Amino acid sequence: MSEGLTHLNVIEVGAGISAAFAGKVLADLGATVLKVEPPEGDPVRRLGPFRGGPEQPDAVHPDAVQPEAGGAHLYLNANKRSAVADLRQAAGRRRLEGWLASADLLIHDHRPGEMAAHGLDFARFARLNPRLVMLSISPFGQTGPHRDYLATDLTLVHGGGWGWICPGKNTPLELPPLKAFGPHAAVQAGLHGALAALAACRGAAASGRGDHIDLSAQETMAFFVGRSFPQYTYAGIVDTRNSPALYEPFSFYPCQDGLIYLMCSEQHQFDRLLALMGNPAWAASGRFSDRAKRAEHQVELKALISEWTKTQSADALFHASQQAKAPAATVMTYPRLEQEPHLRARKYFVTAPHPVATVEVPGAPYALSRPWWRLRSAAPLLGEAGAAADTLFAAPQGPAPRPVPEGETPPLPLAGVRVLDFTWVWAGPYCTMMLAMLGAEIVKVESSSRPDTTRRQGPFPKGMEQGINRSGYNHQLNQGKQAIGVNLSHPEGIALVKRLAAHCDVMVSNFGTGVLERLGLGSAAMLRANPNLIMAMISAFGQTGPYGQYLGYGPLLAPLAGLSAETGYQDGAPRELGFPYADPNAGVYTALAIAAALWSRDRHGTGGQVIDISLWEAMLATSFSGWMNHVVGNPPYRPMGNRDPVHAPSNLYRTRGDDTWVAIDVRSEARWRALCTAIGRPELADDARFRTRAARKANEDALDGIVGDWCAARERWEITRALQAQAVPAFPCLSSKDLAEDPHLNARNVFNRWAHPEVGEQTLLGVPWRFALRPRRTGPPAPLLGQHTDAVLEGLLGLDAAQRADLRARKVIE
């Protein structure tokens, strides 16, 4: 029987990594993805990394310019088919329209101004195929003052608010805001876009009406980073790269042979670390007796712990700390990751034979009980599908749609889906919040003895007393949900949950490995309660493997995934990312896997999926650039600040004003000459130091000095407008305050504003996608603790007022 995303027919018309990544995650789950390329090939084929590096002479490394051997192509385009059609020509457009007649989804990442030149017109396509969904990923969206601005990953990371808070932890302001290594803005735009598009395809299959999705990469970055935005709108605090740690230990520590990352967020974890250290005498002083004091004296505490860690081996300390239940992570490199016993035990890395370059690539970001994810074929040679492309797509499968009458608004794509939500902290709530915004009904299970941790952590509204229902962090992540209070330490509470599961489609949790089983709510028990339940479990290391019982939080996974070793300033020291990237990254992967399971259940009648999400594996799947550089045979990238491994000028430059910056990124000869003209130095284009890409990279310090001097005398938006007018990607580095006040984002109605019963009207970020035909859900606000207990238990289980009162009296419910 067909399962997964088989019979999902996808056309990918890519201009960069975003469309390729969106197509990849769908192809990996079984979708048929036809990659439509121009005669010269998709630009992703030329991105590298190539063996020997792109600067090497062709005679020495002939495959350095071989588009079939680039690391990005090998990773992003596996499981796809390739067809050549020049969409700049009428014949190519006609061929595309022929494929669209039987397609479910068209993905592209051309800017709005480029869409017409490629014939990408949703209104025309919808007349050919009314159920078609078109996903348009662009830097700033289809509307708004910046819709036609050029952008790269560098400008989007800084323009979306991430760069401003990176690396954090008391970084001196003399150092610039920082970009994490790799194309993360493009990847996350593709990943979030794939989720919205897959859900929309489900809605189109049910209603017969497709949709056009407008997804902004800038908004994806702002939404993804998340917590720093309500920190400003609620508390008036602008997080920066100079913000202190919330507590200590919560950072890198030196060892004999490298670095270790220690993170003890709970007092009992810190106590276990002290026991591992032999309970040093200084621990009895009282200066570090609770989390608040550890924050107050963090510099002193870090120095004391460092004296001990310097005597330890990093790898031995990682395992000793984890076995003592004190969370820790080593700063791994890719050669080390290649040999990691946990990843090998979980069969994470996979290989597909390729006629030009066979390499081992990151595998599934989730382990599935119904194993839909697999590497079916290597990345295709250009045009390999040939004439077979015209008969590639299968006819639509599944039940006939229930058409929505013309003039009526189709429902949100996950309408009618009910999710039982046991999530807390960040990864899980981020997942279920996105499902809520796609139309699902979320029933969040908490209790006053174990509430979602986000309720206890700020920010809280300025001038208002803290409270369990007042956290902006909680309000950002839990908008659109219902909350019920159930005591999971009571047997009748567990029985209630199982009864609720029988009325749900999905269950999501991100407890530590083994917690659900100890509660009697593991996958076997829940599938007995509901054999068609889709059950997703998020954890740091996954539900199986040698490290399955190790503890992990989002900040630990960047060091473990090799990303920290390549992120930092030019001093070479690994740096943090400014926020726990691995958490929302795992959250969106989880939501995508759930959407795929819903598609499969609807189309193929296959429920009962168990989804095991490892933050570590999801992080490796996302930060693929360093791994692919390793497997094509190159030495590791070293931290390089905001610079690019290949192109120059590509950096963040200080501008006129107090701690203000602009990102400028030049990636072609035409844009290099345009930059020279824009800064009033046209002669630089023919300067021998800068005449070629390789020459500019070799003389990057001198080039950055010239561009930096020009920027230092000018205001950041003045620079942006001047360079964008010359088709040079440039954009300011924005803080959370800048984002909240940005005219473009406000023109696009990015923000959710509503009156919360305890904190009044506040401003939060909405999801980064817009449907053309379906409504954009913007509420209701995050629920009060236990706000919907009565309504849910009465509505789903038929419990009357007397029954509920009895359960309350016995502390089964709240």
Side-chain angles (χ1 to χ4, degrees), residues 692-706:
T692 66
R693 182 189 66 186
R696 291 192 292 276
K697 188 66 184 173
N699 294 285
E700 190 167 18
D701 289 344
L703 182 53
D704 275 345
I706 293 168

Side-chain angles (χ1 to χ4, degrees), residues 296-382:
E296 180 182 356
H297 304 293
Q298 60 185 257
V299 175
E300 178 187 359
L301 178 58
K302 186 169 184 177
L304 289 167
I305 296 174
S306 294
E307 287 304 310
W308 176 73
T309 60
K310 288 176 183 177
T311 68
Q312 308 293 311
S313 159
D315 190 59
L317 182 53
F318 163 55
H319 292 292
S321 295
Q322 284 285 1
Q323 288 159 9
K325 300 299 182 184
T330 51
V331 179
M332 291 199 179
T333 61
Y334 293 104
R336 162 72 185 278
L337 279 164
E338 191 170 27
Q339 305 302 321
E340 253 306 307
H342 181 78
L343 297 172
R344 291 295 174 187
R346 284 174 60 87
K347 297 180 171 59
Y348 178 67
F349 297 111
V350 292
T351 304
H354 188 280
V356 175
T358 296
V359 294
E360 196 172 39
V361 299
Y366 19 60
L368 306 175
S369 61
R370 293 177 179 270
W372 304 328
W373 195 105
R374 62 179 65 95
L375 190 57
R376 298 167 179 84
S377 61
L381 302 177
L382 179 61

Side-chain angles (χ1 to χ4, degrees), residues 435-459:
L435 298 177
M437 295 298 105
L438 288 165
E441 176 189 350
I442 310 297
V443 179
K444 186 173 180 65
V445 181
E446 301 174 273
S447 68
S448 56
S449 61
R450 192 180 177 91
D452 185 336
T453 305
T454 63
R455 291 185 179 276
R456 299 195 302 262
Q457 298 177 3

Side-chain angles (χ1 to χ4, degrees), residues 743-788:
H744 176 80
L745 296 179
N746 279 280
R748 283 178 54 79
N749 297 315
V750 167
F751 307 113
N752 291 339
R753 297 184 175 97
W754 49 63
H756 185 275
E758 289 203 14
V759 303
E761 183 172 302
Q762 302 290 342
T763 301
L764 297 167
L765 285 160
V767 289
W769 56 74
R770 308 283 188 285
F771 295 111
L773 302 181
R774 289 163 171 81
R776 178 171 179 261
R777 189 172 181 185
T778 60
L784 308 179
L785 183 65
Q787 179 179 344
H788 303 96

